[in-house]
Amino acid sequence: MPSPAVYTDFLNVDLDALTTKLGTISGLIVYNDVRNANPPCVLVNPPTIDTFSKGVFKIGYTLQVLGLGPGNLDGARNLLSNVAKILEANIGVTTARPTQVALGSGTFIAYELTIPVGNP
């Protein structure tokens, strides 16, 4: 059986570092692979990259904080609690917007959080 690929470029290192940092927040379950996501959890998506010129760019991450079920009050309270944990961790969230995320055969209430990380 071949061993999994190891990626050491700065984009993959940043993705892993953010996932690890979020994983230290008590009570959060964090994934960076949608195949493993099982709400309630946080899904770290690949970064967005805005390029201005050679070697000058901005990188940002979108987190999807997934709640329980379609959005009743219990699910909303759980979702808000998890969003609050991330905001209190001071990791640089600049926006948080409510949304819904289709995952497997279900649709889940969620928040999309934006975290800009700049130019490495």
Side-chain angles (χ1 to χ4, degrees):
M1 172 183 266
S3 60
V6 176
Y7 297 99
T8 58
D9 59 89
F10 72 93
L11 292 173
N12 280 290
V13 169
D14 280 353
L15 175 67
D16 292 340
L18 179 58
T19 303
T20 299
K21 185 170 187 172
L22 289 165
T24 66
I25 299 171
S26 179
L28 285 185
I29 300 169
V30 182
Y31 301 101
N32 60 12
D33 187 336
V34 70
R35 296 174 295 182
N36 299 326
N38 185 16
C41 64
V42 178
L43 181 60
V44 182
N45 292 297
T48 59
I49 303 168
D50 294 319
T51 303
F52 300 103
S53 64
K54 184 177 180 181
V56 180
F57 48 88
K58 290 190 312 185
I59 300 170
Y61 287 88
T62 300
L63 309 179
Q64 291 175 312
V65 184
L66 305 175
L68 298 167
N72 61 24
L73 183 58
D74 293 336
R77 289 193 186 278
N78 176 267
L79 174 62
L80 291 171
S81 177
N82 286 335
V83 169
K85 290 174 186 178
I86 296 169
L87 294 174
E88 290 170 348
N90 294 321
I91 60 169
V93 174
T94 57
T95 61
R97 307 224 187 285
T99 188
Q100 294 184 347
V101 174
L103 185 64
S105 61
T107 300
F108 299 89
I109 60 170
Y111 262 83
E112 287 189 348
L113 281 56
T114 303
I115 303 172
V117 294
N119 190 355

